[in-house]
């Protein structure tokens, strides 16, 4: 039984607490905290966890074996660094930290510590469809991957959703996914601005992102965040001999009124629910069996931040922006794991 | 240029005349007739064909090299027999004749004539999807065919559509198709009566037909003639190693309002338009190149009538009804052609 | 935390133990037993459960709140009856008991007890695709269901698989599913014997089962147990206005060598893994929240046994066999639950 | 009966002659010519057409009502101009002429003539799938089109296929299609060079083309000309409310060996055979009924040439290249037709 402390009891924090108390075996929530003490106390009471009055005290609590960070982004760095200092595994929701400099400080701290403690919450690596895609790539039957076409579509976004969030919040999932899928770094970014969707008012939506990979492969990503019809995630890898795409996952096909139709997921919760469960299942199992985390690393979180920053610059300037990464510490193997 | 005489200028006759004058090369309509002289004269004037005042005079007209019979079913026998007597190729719309006895008289007349002149209008043998299915079967990769699941669905039927027409008018296409697909005769028929579709009032709809083939294979056919959503034809052959189904033929996939949908054809004209064109294309080409017809034969028309009759008896009695065919003349090869 | 005792530590028992110890939250395995004491002791040691030397002592063990029966079919009755006698909830793998008489004794015992304790392991009710199908039916947009076409295909079966097992072991899942899907009883069964698949030697495979429902709806089920290409489960409900089918669940689509292809599951473990997890998830949650079981009931297990027996008779005789059920105790609501 | 003269009896010319003699009604080939007199004479003899010893004499032949130009690209201009001078409708295979200057001279000549005589052989406008896509767009239910994702894939290309041909020979079809689909001009082009497919040796393949439309919409086109698995044409329009894609056109679905697969067309002849037939069907019908051509115009041929040139420059320089068109004569309506 892994004892976990959770920092941040907002929507995503409570969802992970639910997952660790009501869904997954082998884990318990030992302690919780939040900037809003009342919420944290009420969650603690409901789940039987202890309330702690700060992230730091939760991290050093002897009953806490591993930490989950779901607090506000700007606080991620301090908690992750504290967990590293305490030598405890820490699962940090994305982004790892709000700036690439902060991410790099975490990378350096972990590298200095000498073993991996940090996992970042990029759940697509745990989605059965993306895994099947990666498995096809691994057989070699497609030959080398040359391109990947992606789309990331949301039915709608809230009013505070700004232009850059299509990159920093939405496409950042594709940034991590494609680094993992191709097993290499993104080296440059370009962003095109198609005609605007009138549902978004002044929002620059959709966008067309173009990533250059170290191998020369090119990845294009459409982000459409107000497309009304549903939540739709696409991906097709173009290889030398053929292609592989995310498949069709329709539970039911209905024929009515002149149409044969399949339902489209409403939102990311519906689409990636299994991925979130598998992500935690494997994190828990890995910590219980070996004490080591093997999912998206601090380096992955850092690289995503650098690419994301390059994307924002590319959006603002209209230019192709090279991605410049710090030197990668030896701790982070050349092949991104999982 | 093949000169054709058309008997019957009703809806289907006019459609074939359109096909032979406005669509297909290598054929002309030389003469037309109809029980309604005014209609026939007007069609003649419009197409530049000669008007003839009887089927018999049209058939013996020296300018007519081949005959197309689209008149009322009860008149088919006399015209087909007259064409055989004249030694002219004749394309007869289904049914070949309204009773199995009449069909058998045609078979015997043609066998006495000694070469094939008659082709019956079972157009599914010319549909690209059914042909692709038969081509898969011919590779042998499925092993022996053991079952076939079919559905024949119409959005709605006119008021005069009676219980037996689901067999004699609709499923008769599956009867011919499966004999051709499997290359063997149907030996017995059973008909089940599911709960009635209220759109049809007292009509016994849907039906579930069960055909036993000479090899022991079993074919089930759902007929649903008031199913509202469109015209939908299905077929899946179950073999020893796998299956092959009629594929998906959607020109466009639309994602809107929570659904990804493909259009369903509205009716048989839309679904089988290409099959009708190919049917005539090949009939014309065969006559021009060899003078011989190779499509569904008089025997096929006779066998369809016998199975259809057995189906009607099975519907009335609820019993399994054996199919008893006359001895097959040598003219009709053991393998059904095309 | 629900404390469960498991009777039977064979393949399926060990899989459920794994599920309750390594996958699902909120449950622990408190005690285990098996006819093979050595296996049971080893499983007990591995999972930290207590070993008990009989099903009866396990059931009466104070630490056991609910019982899972995975032992050899002929022993199900005694353990289920003992659990009822002890007033403890019991999950019994299918079949509930090997004869309809034994099933009926369980029904009567539970009815005498006065509240539901028994759940039978028909996991398809928990499969997301079947649930989506039932949800479509529940909207009423299809109108009344008139037919259902099913196929149940296995790549291969072991040598001991006999003719009747296609009904008692395979199609019994469709028997339970369709009673639940349509919310009504099966009233008669007919079984057709298509041409035999040579992969099965003398085995009568495939079969075509025909179920008549109380409403008059007809359900056909193809069982093919040696079809080589994979494990494939199909279902299409034909309603008055349209149809609904089990959808396509392909994680990845590969285009290579002239083909665009989707993987087919290899076996039932792959196809129904999620259904098994959800089945136990909901059983555990229901017991923890209300102490009551709401899944497939003893009556469902009994009805499946009666229909299955009728199917075996129909296979042997070639006749249509009516299904005669005992009077249903009030405990079992007219609507079969979810 | 339309009497057509054909200039050029190479592969494509002979295919169109076959179409006009053996497939389509209402047309005859009256005269043919070719730079290779022997081939032209042999085709003339075979089809019963007259042989002419030059394109010019064929065009002015009184028996020729309309001209089809299938000769070597560099000769297109002279024949099209001669047809305009003779006031005869002319169907010219793509490209209209090998340079944008030559195309513009044709545009100016036709504009001076005052009515449309020229049609260019962009057959995708006649493909049922592209037409269905345009019909969806025309309903307005997608809202404004914002993006379109395209792929143009060939299994392999001959040895003489050079870098620029992926634009001038392959993607030129997408250039015409998207102008027609969106009803507006392309205003700028960018070309990206992904990692090279090793099957093509030094060939720069695949390419990623990016078109900006007058409305601001962006169209991306992948060209892959050595992808081995088959010929695959994709297109998805992204609108404000949803998307519409070219559908699935699989005649048969086969389940074998762990896979459910659909065939992929081998080449463009297989994929676009119907489009070629419809293209000529409508050209003939339009000329016979109104004497006017309504398909892709000389302006469309000119615009395709200018965009294609811009694409070649963009490929060479790596820069975004604006498309600069001459002023459009009034003859060419603002809405591209069909």
């Amino acid at each position: 039984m892994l004892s976990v402390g959770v920092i941040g009891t907002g929507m995503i924090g409570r969802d992970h607490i639910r997952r660790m108390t009501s869904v997954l075996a082998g884990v318990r929530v030992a302690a919780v905290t939040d900037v809003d003490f009342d919420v944290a106390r009420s969650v603690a009471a409901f789940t039987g966890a202890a309330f702690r009055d700060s992230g730091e005290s939760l991290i050093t609590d002897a009953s806490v074996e591993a930490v989950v960070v779901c607090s506000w982004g700007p606080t991620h760095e301090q908690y992750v660094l504290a967990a590293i200092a305490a030598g405890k595994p820490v699962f940090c929701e994305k982004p790892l930290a709000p700036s690439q400099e902060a991410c790099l400080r975490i990378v350096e701290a972990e590298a200095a510590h000498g073993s991996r403690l940090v996992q970042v919450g990029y759940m697509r690596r745990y989605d059965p469809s993306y895994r099947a895609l990666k498995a096809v790539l691994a057989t070699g039957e497609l030959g080398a991957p040359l391109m990947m076409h992606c789309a990331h579509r949301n039915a709608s976004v809230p009013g505070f959703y700004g232009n850059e969030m299509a990159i920093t919040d939405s496409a950042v999932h594709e940034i991590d996914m494609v680094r993992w899928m191709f097993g290499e770094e993104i080296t440059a970014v370009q962003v095109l601005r198609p005609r605007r969707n009138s549902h978004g008012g002044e929002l620059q939506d959709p966008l067309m992102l173009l990533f250059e990979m170290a191998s020369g492969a090119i990845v294009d990503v459409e982000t459409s965040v107000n497309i009304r019809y549903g939540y739709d995630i696409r991906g097709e890898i173009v290889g030398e001999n053929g292609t592989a795409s995310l498949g069709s996952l329709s539970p039911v096909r209905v024929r009515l009124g002149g149409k044969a139709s399949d339902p489209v997921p409403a939102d990311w919760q519906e689409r990636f629910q299994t991925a979130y469960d598998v992500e935690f299942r494997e994190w828990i199992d890995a910590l219980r069996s070996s004490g080591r985390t093997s999912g998206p690393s601090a380096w992955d979180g850092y690289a995503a931040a650098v690419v994301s920053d390059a994307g924002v610059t590319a959006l603002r300037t209209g230019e192709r922006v090279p991605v410049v990464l710090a030197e990668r510490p030896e701790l982070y193997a050349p092949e991104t794991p999982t």
Side-chain angles (χ1 to χ4, degrees), chain A:
Chain A
M1 189 69 71
L2 182 75
S3 289
V4 171
V6 178
I7 302 172
T9 54
M11 193 180 70
I12 182 76
R14 288 200 301 270
D15 192 52
H16 287 327
I17 289 170
R18 175 193 62 77
R19 186 166 283 113
M20 291 188 285
T21 53
S22 308
V23 179
L24 302 175
V27 62
R28 59 185 282 270
V29 177
V32 300
T33 189
D34 193 272
V35 63
D36 182 332
F37 283 8
D38 287 346
V39 169
R41 278 200 189 93
S42 132
V43 170
F46 185 76
T47 59
F51 164 75
R52 291 288 168 265
D53 61 5
S54 73
E56 285 74 7
S57 64
L58 179 144
I59 290 165
T60 53
D61 188 322
S63 76
V64 168
E65 295 172 281
V67 179
V68 170
V69 177
C70 303
S71 52
W72 192 40
T75 66
H76 285 187
E77 182 186 4
Q78 70 185 90
Y79 297 134
V80 173
L81 289 177
I84 294 171
K88 293 189 179 176
V90 55
F91 178 100
C92 182
E93 260 309 323
K94 61 124 195 158
L96 176 57
S99 75
Q100 53 175 283
E101 293 75 18
C103 291
L104 190 55
R105 286 191 291 269
I106 291 171
V107 162
E108 288 166 350
E110 189 180 40
H113 171 78
S115 70
R116 285 199 50 198
L117 292 169
V118 180
Q119 178 167 328
V120 186
Y122 287 113
M123 80 293 181
R124 289 205 188 170
R125 301 189 185 196
Y126 303 92
D127 175 68
S129 295
Y130 277 113
R131 287 185 158 189
L133 206 53
K134 193 164 166 65
V136 171
L137 207 50
T139 65
E141 61 191 1
L142 297 184
L146 308 176
M147 306 183 76
M148 185 168 183
H149 305 303
C150 305
H152 185 135
R153 298 177 184 150
N154 292 69
S156 63
V157 287
F160 61 79
Y161 194 98
N163 278 347
E164 300 175 358
M165 292 179 72
I167 299 170
T168 58
D169 244 53
S170 299
V172 72
H173 284 289
E174 271 80 13
I175 291 171
D176 181 68
M177 178 276 294
V178 74
R179 293 180 59 255
W180 165 76
M181 184 69 72
F182 281 58
E184 56 176 319
E185 297 295 352
I186 296 170
T187 57
V189 188
Q190 189 180 350
V191 181
L192 304 184
R193 300 162 166 251
R195 178 177 180 177
R196 280 211 297 270
N197 188 327
S198 60
H199 294 309
E202 294 304 303
L203 192 67
Q204 187 59 52
D205 168 61
L207 296 179
M208 173 80 166
L209 283 66
L210 296 160
F211 299 129
E212 299 173 28
M213 308 303 295
S215 63
I218 287 181
V219 177
D220 52 274
V221 181
E222 170 208 326
T223 60
S224 287
V225 301
N226 271 309
I227 202 168
R228 295 296 182 260
Y229 76 93
Y231 183 76
D232 203 358
I233 297 298
R234 308 276 197 87
E236 179 178 31
I237 295 172
V238 180
E240 296 180 298
N241 307 317
T243 79
S245 321
L246 295 176
S248 153
L249 293 168
S250 166
V252 64
R253 186 156 176 85
V254 176
R255 286 168 173 83
L256 265 180
K259 290 176 186 166
S261 59
D262 299 296
V264 173
D267 52 31
W268 53 270
Q269 287 98 328
E270 181 181 344
R271 172 65 181 82
F272 286 113
Q273 180 184 307
T274 297
Y276 283 107
D277 287 351
V278 175
E279 177 188 49
F280 267 75
R281 174 78 276 149
E282 296 195 5
W283 182 65
I284 293 161
D285 289 349
L287 293 184
R288 289 179 71 198
S289 66
S290 73
R292 294 215 204 163
T293 254
S294 64
S297 69
W299 179 261
D300 294 322
Y302 164 69
V306 177
V307 175
S308 182
D309 282 0
V312 169
T313 304
L315 172 63
R316 287 183 189 156
T317 62
E319 301 294 321
R320 171 184 176 280
V321 177
V323 171
V324 183
L325 294 171
E327 196 176 347
R328 184 170 56 199
E330 282 191 18
L331 179 62
Y332 307 102
E335 293 292 327
T336 48
T338 302

